[in-house]
Amino acid sequence: MNFLYPGFLFALLAIAIPIAIHLFNFRKFKKVYFSNVQFLKEAKEQNSSREKLKHLLVLISRILAVIFLVFAFARPFIPLSSTGEPGRRNLISIYIDNSYSMETVNKEGNLLDEAKRKAKEIAAAYQLNDQFQLLTNDFEGKHQRAVNKEEFIQMLDGLKISPASRSLQQVVNRLQRESGANKNQIAYLLSDFQKSFVGIQPIQSDKDIRYSLIKLNANSLPNISVDSVWSLSPVHQPNQAEQLVVQLHNYGEEDAADIPIKLTINRQQKAISNTKVPAGKSVKDTLSFSGLQKGWQKGMLTIKDFPLTFDDALNFSFQVNTEMKVLNISGDPSQKFIKSLFAADPYFKLSEMPEANIKYSSFSDYSLIVLSGLKQPSSGLAQQLKNYVKNGGSVVIFPDLDANGAIYTPFLTALSLPAVKQLNSGPAITSSIELKDPVFKDVFDQVPSNMDLPVVTRYFSYLERNAGGKQGILQLPLGQFLFARYASGAGSMYLSASSLDPKDGSLSRHPVFVPMMFKIAFSSVKEQPLYYTSGQSDLLEHQKISLGANQSLTLKSDGIEVIPEVRQVPGKTLLYVADQIRKPGFYDLKKADSVLAVIAFNDNRKESDMHYATDQSLTDLFGKQKIALYNSQKDALSLNIQAKNNSIELWKLCLILAVVFLAIEILLIRFFNKTKNIQTP
């Protein structure tokens, strides 16, 4: 049996004092008794033995009652066999959920404040020589080290709400990393245990760690979140119409009407709207605006929703460019189809090079390269184009059908494209269109039943060896294609079976040719994501950035500066920020003093769902691992949480036994040896 100090010390003193008092009274009794022994022998010889027994029994009952009463206050307990190995120091790991959902309140106040109070109660139940570890969603290094009780309390006082969000499995994994070989680890997890935090997958936990889950209960609150946003505009041009789609989600139990939506770009209001969001549903709304100027745009979508406001705004960023550079390498200068096509829109800046004078070094300046009617495509050109596409570029090839197929085959195979099988000629063949392809997305408002499509009289048929990366856009009968896309590296290559010469078909003059080429050009622009998630997105992508030997990139925002790890891969530059960016907002990507991009970050939206896991679901997730689960509405988490969790308590039994022995004493005094009093002479 063990005792919680200092109760045991007081127990010894409290036992010794009543025993001494009773021994003194007993000696006095003996003195009186022997002074009247002659009389007692004559008058009460038979009752004397019973009186002795009565006093002895009363003494024993009173002593036992006092002993068990003192033991009850000393809180004795029997340690369980699973409470760790003796001689090993206890490591008490306490995780406190400090995500946005812990800002909600119940009758105890703010959930985070309640968690901090209960953490202090837990710490108070352990000894001064035990070690403590504080873990939060921030996963900070200073919170990972073991500290004494005083330092632990100081850390608790400085704990604040954080935008970081973790899963229950991540928290358990982090706790297991600190499990020491010479320590008995006891883990307490204080959280509201949102369903998004708990998840549905079974928890993989360390069997040597004892887990106690303390569930903090918040009042059920309605919440509407700005869930996501995306653009319907393929590219962003100055003073052109733009369309954004915003998605709202209602996590509450009641429909929400007239939710105001406001769009601001560079702090200027661009659009407003009102929408209705049914309970538990998501709705989309399209916002139209214009009047953008060249450069990076900082956008924000906001709603008004109380009392939870952390998810009422969504940041996003994008770049408006004044031009797109396109290169046309032509084998027949007399053909003006590509020039006429891109000259129709001033957004495109077309450069032309003859086949005999190609400047390979300038390829990286263009978003799209078109090869039209090359007579003698070389292996050197193929190698340069392959590197260009590998780094994210797009190439469109319209062959010259008058050139021998044997000339084009080495060029195409060097680009990992199919070889020319044969040249086909004859009556006009009508093509079919793949409307589900992204190239034709949003091109047609309504597709007629007998749609006019390009026809060809001459075309190459190709020998397909591996069609896994091919996507047909315009199809011909018998499994042949007129125009197809092939994925290659970080870019794409488009191959036509016919030329642009009108004698070979109607492709170059057909109405479908213009939107098809424009969509190919627009898709060649590598747009960065509109936004990332702070604390979760640790890998950022950007178009290729050239850095010198001593140059580095930085992310800056309102006094925050992050130096990412840079890795160069084909077609793009990867920036690893780990978990350095935790605050939402706009961050400037800089090389020296030059701003390369504006990157937007937002809080994780999984905190928006205010639905909580049940006690049974939490128990089931841990499977055979035994855990202690406390509910703050049902359980009074008092200072004896250590004993409740790790031992069999005996204080209640001691209190009952104290009452029993007091009752025995009363009964002995009242009823034992009840005889008629005898008068002494």
Side-chain angles (χ1 to χ4, degrees), residues 145-161:
R145 63 187 181 92
V147 298
N148 58 36
K149 186 182 295 187
E150 182 178 353
E151 290 179 278
F152 176 78
I153 299 299
Q154 291 177 353
M155 287 183 175
L156 280 178
D157 292 336
L159 186 57
K160 297 179 180 179
I161 290 292

Side-chain angles (χ1 to χ4, degrees), residues 3-14 70-71 73-76 124 127:
F3 298 86
L4 296 180
Y5 295 95
F8 182 63
L9 185 59
F10 287 112
L12 293 177
L13 293 175
V70 174
F71 278 0
F73 284 100
R75 312 191 74 84
Q127 306 304 317

Side-chain angles (χ1 to χ4, degrees), residues 208-224:
D208 295 329
I209 301 177
R210 301 191 300 281
Y211 296 94
S212 292
L213 276 57
I214 303 167
K215 187 178 180 182
L216 308 175
N217 295 275
N219 297 326
S220 179
L221 295 174
N223 185 35
I224 299 173

Side-chain angles (χ1 to χ4, degrees), residues 58-123:
V58 169
L59 176 63
I60 294 173
S61 299
R62 188 171 298 171
I63 291 174
L64 290 175
V66 173
I67 289 174
F68 285 111
L69 183 61
V70 174
F71 278 0
F73 284 100
R75 312 191 74 84
F77 62 91
I78 299 175
L80 298 175
S81 59
S82 61
T83 58
E85 298 181 15
R88 295 171 61 180
R89 179 179 293 182
N90 287 329
L91 173 62
I92 297 89
S93 300
I94 300 179
Y95 163 74
I96 295 183
D97 184 357
N98 61 332
S99 61
Y100 281 127
S101 66
M102 296 290 284
E103 286 185 307
T104 56
V105 296
N106 58 17
K107 63 181 181 180
E108 299 292 332
N110 183 291
L111 285 189
L112 181 61
D113 291 338
E114 183 184 358
K116 290 160 70 173
R117 289 195 302 271
K118 293 189 182 300
K120 291 179 181 179
E121 292 180 2
I122 294 172

Side-chain angles (χ1 to χ4, degrees), residues 29-46:
F29 167 76
K30 285 176 65 179
K31 183 177 181 181
V32 173
Y33 172 76
F34 284 114
S35 65
N36 297 283
V37 65
Q38 188 65 32
F39 173 78
L40 291 173
K41 282 183 178 180
E42 296 176 356
K44 296 182 178 180
E45 185 175 353
Q46 185 177 2

Side-chain angles (χ1 to χ4, degrees), residues 369-544:
I369 296 178
V370 181
L371 309 180
S372 56
L374 299 187
K375 305 295 185 183
Q376 295 285 338
S378 65
S379 59
L381 174 61
Q383 184 61 41
Q384 294 296 326
L385 290 174
K386 189 171 184 179
N387 292 334
Y388 168 78
V389 175
K390 182 181 179 181
N391 289 320
S394 296
V395 174
V396 181
I397 302 173
F398 294 102
D400 183 351
L401 300 184
D402 292 330
N404 193 311
I407 296 176
Y408 263 89
T409 292
F411 174 73
L412 295 176
T413 54
L415 292 171
S416 301
L417 294 174
V420 176
K421 183 178 181 181
Q422 63 183 27
L423 176 64
N424 302 282
S425 60
I429 299 177
T430 304
S431 62
S432 61
I433 189 170
E434 183 57 56
L435 294 174
K436 294 182 179 180
D437 191 273
V439 167
F440 295 113
K441 183 180 179 181
D442 303 323
V443 170
F444 304 102
D445 293 331
Q446 186 176 2
V447 181
S449 56
N450 55 347
M451 185 176 179
D452 177 34
L453 293 170
V455 297
V456 292
T457 56
R458 290 202 309 165
Y459 64 94
F460 278 146
S461 57
Y462 295 100
L463 186 62
E464 297 280 3
R465 291 187 174 87
N466 183 11
K470 185 189 91 171
Q471 178 63 50
I473 297 175
L474 294 174
Q475 302 282 1
L476 292 173
L478 302 176
Q480 300 295 319
F481 68 83
L482 175 56
F483 197 79
R485 177 178 60 253
Y486 292 83
S488 178
S492 299
M493 287 186 285
Y494 299 83
L495 178 61
S496 175
S498 185
S499 71
L500 295 178
D501 195 326
K503 70 180 181 182
D504 295 328
S506 64
L507 178 61
S508 61
R509 298 180 181 272
H510 196 276
V512 80
F513 180 67
V514 175
M516 181 180 74
M517 292 299 295
F518 277 10
K519 289 297 291 285
I520 290 173
F522 291 150
S523 64
S524 301
V525 178
K526 305 304 179 184
E527 295 275 0
Q528 74 174 31
L530 289 178
Y531 59 89
Y532 292 93
T533 301
S534 57
Q536 181 178 358
S537 301
D538 57 1
L539 175 61
L540 315 181
E541 294 186 4
H542 194 273
Q543 62 186 8
K544 197 76 172 181

